[in-house]
Amino acid sequence: MTLETIWFCLVAVFWLGYLFLEGFDFGVGMLLPILGRDNTERRVMVNTIGPVWDGNEVWLIVAAGVMFAAFPAWYAGLFAAAYLPLLVVLVGLIGRGVAFEYRGKVDSERWRRTWDRVIMIGSWIPPLGVGLLLATTTLGLPLDAAGNRVGSAFAAIRWDTVLGALAVVGFSLTHGAAFLALKTTGDLRERARLLAYRILPVALLPMVAFLIIVQSRTGKVWTLVTLVIALLAAVVAWLRLRADRDGQAFAALGVVVAAAVITIFGALYPNVLPSTLDPAHSLTIAGSASSHYTLVVMSWVSLFGAPAVLIYQGWTYWVFRKRIGTQHIPAVHAP
């Protein structure tokens, strides 16, 4: 296996980490006004992701950074074509981060509800944008022989890429509800579990439809296996939610997104950005990769840096592993 292929696989791993970790992270924010009946319950929901949400976002930075360093032509072609959706995503992420810090600064219900809306909106926008981005790199853009996009800045927005965006949103909603069932106690936990159980068959439909489209267009024989694994894992997650086994359901949803990412990137290989005008114009791994020396240096750096990051983030999740409920939330102190 060449270094170019190894780094292509690592890009897929980084996107998988982002979708899995930020999936439930965004899902909690989306569900904030739906499951949180009062400020105390909303504080519980925010506290389930409070220690980890900013660390989860690092995976997006790493995924984009690795694409830039290892496959600069891929990064340039994809991000330049989707710069408007990415700008909206950036605004959403900034607003969401500010809202987490500001919602508790003033003892006012109106103040808190305003920032809760910002959290909710800022949690809906990024999954849509990231889903659109991944769907675009999988299904392609109208690229000419020079690798330049043909058409307007909205060339990345098509019905099939929008379906990919909805796939990430649907998964995030389900994943967030399952995470809340895993991390909370009492009535909030039961409502989260029931919501995840009820919405899963509908919320994951866009992902199933998108995977079928990808498989039918560019899939291989072995990616059909991972597609089936994703479907079976979704069924297992639904059955485990019905059986009140939230930990197993959450793990099954992890298998769903892992199998989905493998299917998508497996179908994409050896391309990194297909051309919808002419397959000969597609960007490939070999044609968009950095020099061999650059990839070697990146490999040595990641060999020492990646384990440190993984150990630190794993330790964070271990420290904050216990469930929380309304009984753990102190009263609001007036300034």
Side-chain angles (χ1 to χ4, degrees):
M1 183 181 291
T2 64
L3 271 180
E4 290 84 356
T5 301
I6 291 174
W7 276 102
F8 175 80
C9 294
L10 287 175
V11 169
V13 169
F14 290 132
W15 280 113
L16 168 58
Y18 180 72
L19 291 173
F20 177 77
L21 296 175
E22 279 286 77
F24 68 75
D25 194 326
F26 289 137
V28 171
M30 295 177 191
L31 296 170
L32 193 63
I34 298 173
L35 287 175
R37 292 180 173 175
D38 54 35
N39 180 52
T40 303
E41 288 192 345
R42 290 191 289 273
R43 288 175 67 189
V44 170
M45 295 174 66
V46 170
N47 275 274
T48 61
I49 60 174
V52 298
W53 69 266
D54 48 354
N56 293 344
E57 289 187 354
V58 171
W59 287 80
L60 175 63
I61 299 172
V62 173
V66 168
M67 289 175 65
F68 172 76
F71 302 98
W74 183 11
Y75 176 92
L78 179 61
F79 282 67
Y83 68 89
L84 286 179
L86 287 174
L87 177 62
V88 177
V89 167
L90 182 61
V91 172
L93 290 173
I94 292 173
R96 183 171 177 266
V98 171
F100 280 135
E101 300 296 330
Y102 274 56
R103 76 175 303 277
K105 298 299 184 183
V106 177
D107 185 16
S108 164
E109 188 65 22
R110 181 178 179 182
W111 172 272
R112 287 189 289 266
R113 286 192 177 277
T114 298
W115 289 112
D116 286 345
R117 293 189 188 98
V118 175
I119 292 174
M120 181 191 68
I121 296 170
S123 297
W124 276 89
I125 292 175
L128 284 168
V130 170
L132 183 72
L133 187 75
L134 292 177
T136 299
T137 199
T138 306
L139 301 178
L141 281 169
L143 301 176
D144 60 19
N148 298 317
R149 184 198 68 224
V150 177
S152 71
F154 298 98
I157 302 177
R158 309 186 304 268
W159 73 267
D160 47 3
T161 57
V162 170
L163 182 64
L166 294 177
V168 176
V169 168
F171 172 78
S172 297
L173 272 173
T174 308
H175 203 35
F179 177 77
L180 286 172
L182 180 65
K183 284 290 293 178
T184 59
T185 63
D187 187 50
L188 177 59
R189 172 193 174 274
E190 184 60 21
R191 293 202 311 272
R193 184 188 68 82
L194 286 175
L195 180 64
Y197 171 71
R198 290 168 179 169
I199 69 173
L200 187 150
V202 176
L204 294 189
L205 273 180
M207 176 177 285
V208 173
F210 181 74
L211 291 178
I212 292 174
I213 290 173
V214 171
Q215 178 64 30
S216 65
R217 293 184 183 180
T218 57
K220 286 83 172 174
V221 174
W222 68 267
T223 57
L224 181 60
V225 176
T226 56
L227 192 158
V228 172
I229 291 174
L231 296 178
L232 292 176
V235 173
V236 170
W238 184 75
L239 293 175
R240 293 292 81 194
L241 285 168
R242 186 174 67 175
D244 200 14
R245 306 292 291 184
D246 41 43
Q248 295 175 10
F250 185 77
L253 286 171
V255 175
V256 170
V257 70
V261 169
I262 294 172
T263 302
I264 290 170
F265 279 86
L268 178 61
Y269 184 87
N271 294 323
V272 292
L273 187 59
S275 172
T276 57
L277 297 180
D278 187 341
H281 300 163
S282 299
L283 298 181
T284 63
I285 292 175
S288 60
S290 295
S291 67
H292 181 75
Y293 177 78
T294 300
L295 296 179
V296 169
V297 172
M298 289 176 59
S299 299
W300 280 108
V301 172
S302 63
L303 187 64
F304 293 96
V309 173
L310 291 174
I311 291 171
Y312 171 75
Q313 192 162 28
W315 175 80
T316 302
Y317 276 94
W318 175 256
V319 170
F320 296 101
R321 67 189 182 277
K322 294 185 177 180
R323 296 177 184 267
I324 63 173
T326 54
Q327 71 274 16
H328 300 119
I329 303 299
V332 176
H333 295 284

